């Protein structure tokens, strides 16, 4: 277990480097600080909600620190600091129950953060309820969700580290779900929809488990999700599914398995594109982008994106692959003006 330093800073220093974190937070709740940290972990006894976290990283020696939280969410990418040159970083985090997959265990109440990295150094931390936060809800399957254990990771689990303070990812993706089951389970869509507020984004990527869903039903289900988001004043974004790493002999992915065409011949990415066009919904064509990337890497190098080496799994992504794919999602969100440019580099 790596060790890090929580430095006791003077009030003057805090006023200089953490001016964004006042001694008393809004809503009458006090700002919580480093007294809630021990070893390489911090626990904040807060109710479900959205919180701004401000950290001061670095110390007398060169350091490199990253922060994860809740169910293995990547919240702050590895951040290098030179000796004697601390930096301040902020991010916004969603705290909910269950803290990971909606059909999984409740997890630990409150906000839990893990301080990691190759040479972690946390000088100070402040947690306060977010004044103004925009939620990015994720509706998806196992390729998107907050996976509970190594070596698995969904791209939604890695997305928060790419976003600036004020944008919070509420990942309600769940393993094994199709458009049919997501709409049918009260823990899923019936839980997500009431939480949507005006201006929130809702990214929808469901296809991998619609293996026996006919085209009319698949289309209607996507349209139901889109209409449900708009009913609450949110903005739906349709996301075509990531490809499966299933190469042809010529090194291409032009086959039904790779491109998510199901056993009934339903081309899920094509239907998703069609629904987006028909209903004027922003589209992130993650199928096209991941296909281009996987083919450019080729059969050998692309193994690292998936869990081929660990599990002979060509569908689910590694932490590395999920991080890369989350970057593609972030790029599209920024390019389409759906979110402001935030952190531009991870790793």
């Amino acid at each position: 277990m790596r060790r890090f330093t929580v430095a006791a800073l003077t009030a003057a220093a805090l006023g200089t480097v953490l001016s964004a974190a006042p001694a008393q937070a809004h809503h009458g709740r006090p700002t919580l600080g480093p007294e809630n940290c021990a070893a390489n972990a911090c626990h904040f006894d807060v109710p479900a909600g959205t919180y701004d976290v401000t950290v001061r990283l670095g110390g007398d020696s060169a350091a490199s620190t990253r922060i994860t939280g809740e169910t293995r969410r990547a919240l702050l990418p590895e951040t290098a600091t030179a000796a004697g040159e601390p930096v301040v970083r902020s991010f916004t985090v969603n705290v909910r129950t269950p803290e990971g997959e909606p059909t999984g265990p409740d997890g630990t109440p409150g906000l839990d953060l893990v301080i990691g990295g190759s040479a972690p150094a946390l000088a100070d931390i402040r947690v306060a309820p977010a004044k103004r936060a925009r939620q990015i809800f994720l509706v998806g399957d196992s390729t998107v969700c907050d996976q509970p254990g190594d070596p698995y990771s969904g791209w939604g689990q890695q997305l928060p580290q790419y976003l600036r303070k004020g944008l919070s990812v509420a990942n309600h993706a769940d393993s094994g779900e199709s458009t049919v089951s997501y709409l049918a389970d009260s823990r899923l869509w019936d839980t997500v929809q009431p939480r949507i507020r005006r201006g929130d984004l809702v990214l929808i990527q469901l296809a991998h488990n619609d293996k026996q869903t006919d085209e009319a039903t698949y289309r209607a289900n996507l349209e139901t999700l889109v209409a449900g988001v708009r009913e609450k004043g949110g903005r739906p974004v349709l996301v075509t599914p990531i490809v499966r790493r299933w190469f042809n002999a010529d090194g291409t992915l032009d086959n039904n398995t790779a491109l998510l065409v199901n056993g009934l011949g339903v081309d899920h990415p094509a239907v998703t594109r069609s629904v987006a066009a028909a209903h004027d919904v922003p589209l992130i064509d993650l199928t096209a982008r991941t296909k281009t990337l996987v083919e450019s890497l080729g059969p050998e190098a692309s193994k690292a994106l998936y869990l081929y080496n660990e599990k002979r799994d060509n569908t689910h992504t590694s932490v590395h692959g999920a991080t890369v794919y989350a970057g593609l999602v972030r790029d599209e969100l920024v390019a389409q003006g759906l979110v402001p440019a935030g952190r531009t580099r991870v790793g």
Side-chain angles (χ1 to χ4, degrees):
M1 188 175 289
R2 298 187 181 96
R3 300 181 63 189
F4 69 95
T5 301
V6 177
L9 303 178
T10 65
L14 285 174
T16 300
V17 302
L18 289 177
S19 58
Q24 290 293 320
H26 54 284
H27 302 318
R29 296 176 186 165
T31 300
L32 302 175
E35 68 276 6
N36 295 276
C37 300
N40 68 337
C42 301
H43 173 75
F44 300 91
D45 186 15
V46 296
T50 305
Y51 295 87
D52 289 333
V53 180
T54 300
V55 294
R56 185 177 187 238
L57 306 177
D60 294 337
S61 303
S64 186
T65 310
R66 69 188 300 265
I67 299 177
T68 58
E70 298 296 89
T71 304
R72 302 175 61 240
R73 298 180 218 160
L75 299 171
L76 190 73
E78 188 106 4
T79 302
T81 50
E85 298 181 11
V87 300
V88 175
R89 297 288 185 267
S90 297
F91 56 87
T92 302
V93 59
N94 170 253
V95 176
R96 62 183 183 272
T97 302
E99 69 178 37
E101 293 182 89
T103 63
D106 285 353
T108 305
L111 171 60
D112 288 284
L113 302 176
V114 176
I115 315 303
S118 58
L122 176 66
D124 193 70
I125 185 167
R126 300 285 151 162
V127 174
K131 291 181 180 179
R132 292 175 296 275
R134 185 186 186 195
Q135 297 286 1
I136 301 178
F137 290 93
L138 303 183
V139 169
D141 53 35
S142 58
T143 66
V144 185
C145 75
D146 288 348
Q147 289 280 0
D150 285 329
Y152 295 89
S153 181
W155 62 254
Q157 201 164 21
Q158 301 300 324
L159 184 61
Q161 66 188 309
Y162 285 104
L163 303 175
R164 62 169 59 178
K165 177 184 174 184
L167 288 171
S168 171
V169 175
N171 191 351
H172 289 265
D174 195 68
S175 293
E177 305 301 342
S178 65
T179 58
V180 176
S181 64
Y182 204 94
L183 285 167
D185 192 327
S186 62
R187 296 169 294 179
L188 300 171
W189 182 239
D190 287 347
T191 297
V192 174
Q193 191 195 21
R195 298 181 180 182
I196 300 170
R197 299 291 179 263
R198 184 165 300 279
D200 288 342
L201 290 177
V202 183
L203 276 58
I204 302 164
Q205 186 216 279
L206 287 166
H208 278 87
N209 300 301
D210 281 280
K211 297 173 183 177
Q212 297 300 317
T213 308
D214 63 78
E215 183 170 338
T217 301
Y218 184 67
R219 179 182 297 273
N221 289 343
L222 291 180
E223 290 172 338
T224 296
L225 291 165
V226 166
V229 174
R230 286 176 167 167
E231 179 185 325
K232 294 296 185 179
R235 188 164 190 187
V237 180
L238 288 174
V239 184
T240 61
I242 67 170
V243 295
R244 292 190 178 98
R245 184 191 161 277
W246 202 270
F247 282 94
N248 297 325
D250 63 359
T252 66
L253 298 178
D254 293 316
N255 59 76
N256 287 354
T257 299
L259 298 181
L260 282 298
V261 178
N262 76 7
L264 302 178
V266 180
D267 186 330
H268 293 110
V271 175
T272 304
R273 296 178 190 116
S274 175
V275 171
H279 295 277
D280 193 26
V281 178
L283 174 76
I284 296 177
D285 198 339
L286 201 53
T287 306
R289 295 206 62 169
T290 54
K291 178 179 185 292
T292 297
L293 176 60
V294 172
E295 287 182 339
S296 71
L297 291 173
E300 189 58 37
S302 64
K303 291 177 180 178
L305 295 173
Y306 292 82
L307 294 174
Y308 180 85
N309 293 324
E310 299 87 348
K311 302 285 186 178
R312 294 297 188 267
D313 186 335
N314 291 308
T315 297
H316 297 97
T317 48
S318 62
V319 171
H320 167 65
T323 302
V324 171
Y325 287 177
L328 298 179
V329 173
R330 184 281 317 271
D331 290 347
E332 283 294 318
L333 290 172
V334 172
Q336 296 186 42
L338 297 169
V339 302
R343 301 184 184 98
T344 58
R345 182 177 181 273
V346 172

